[in-house]
Amino acid sequence: MSKNKFNKSWMKKHLEDPFVKLAQKEGYRARAAYKLKEIDEDANLVRPGQVIVDLGCAPGSWSQYVGRKLKVPGSDQLNGTVIGLDLLPMEPVPGVHFFQGDFREDDTLAKLESLLQGRGVDLVLSDMAPNLTGVAVTDAARVEYLMELALDFARKHLKPSGSLLVKCFYGSTYNGILAGFRETFQSVTVKKPKASRDYSAEVFLLGQRLRDPA
């Protein structure tokens, strides 16, 4: 199949996707919102009063979902604090604080910590995915690196009772990533929501309640 035909075939499937249609109808920026929605409804992750950080948040559908859930009725305020971080720009999401920058760098972390005012984070979300090259070894290493970044951020900022939800992919580094989660959290579950396409290698890892450091 030529690249042009493949692109047309993918676009046709994409536009006919029920979650794409639902996202358009409900005003979400991406169908990914429904992956988080299903996981949240199963695990009760997003709750009033929480501090939530969305890593790699652009274009913003996960931040939108969290913001809508925590919105105070009849107000523009949220019952909680939601912070989005990304290297890319993001259109504003009502009630959500957004910092464009690299969360590995001191200036971005300083902005985050200023907003936190010493509070621990209840929930860290990461729908980050690397730019894939098609070279299996390279792509696996990039996935593993993003998972390590998210885990390291969670170890530093989560409350002991906090949770980390990340997008991951089955592949050569998956078992190592899973082991890292099990070393960090008391409870680790693997989620494959309905909005995650059947043919996709993506899954979501949910770690809950930090283990005491050795």
Side-chain angles (χ1 to χ4, degrees), residues 27-150:
Y28 281 113
R29 297 173 188 176
R31 65 193 298 284
Y34 299 101
K35 301 173 188 179
L36 176 58
K37 182 175 187 289
E38 182 179 334
I39 294 169
D40 175 43
E41 289 175 349
D42 179 61
N44 190 29
L45 295 177
V46 180
R47 299 188 296 277
Q50 287 182 323
V51 177
I52 299 173
V53 175
D54 185 4
L55 300 177
C57 56
S61 65
W62 278 24
S63 288
Q64 281 182 297
Y65 171 78
V66 173
R68 290 182 186 188
K69 185 163 183 185
L70 296 183
K71 187 177 184 296
V72 176
S75 166
D76 292 331
Q77 303 299 311
L78 303 187
N79 185 355
T81 301
V82 183
I83 304 164
L85 301 172
D86 205 301
L87 289 168
L88 300 173
M90 184 182 79
E91 288 294 318
V93 175
V96 175
H97 304 273
F98 172 65
F99 299 128
Q100 184 177 354
D102 189 334
F103 63 82
R104 295 168 297 175
E105 295 182 353
D106 291 343
D107 58 340
T108 304
L109 282 175
K111 293 175 184 176
L112 170 67
E113 286 165 0
S114 175
L115 188 58
L116 291 176
Q117 296 181 328
R119 295 174 295 170
V121 176
D122 296 284
L123 175 63
V124 174
L125 302 171
S126 173
D127 194 30
M128 294 188 294
N131 293 322
L132 299 178
T133 65
V135 179
V137 174
T138 302
D139 291 342
R142 290 183 176 186
V143 169
E144 185 175 31
Y145 177 62
L146 288 182
M147 296 305 102
E148 285 297 329
L149 288 179

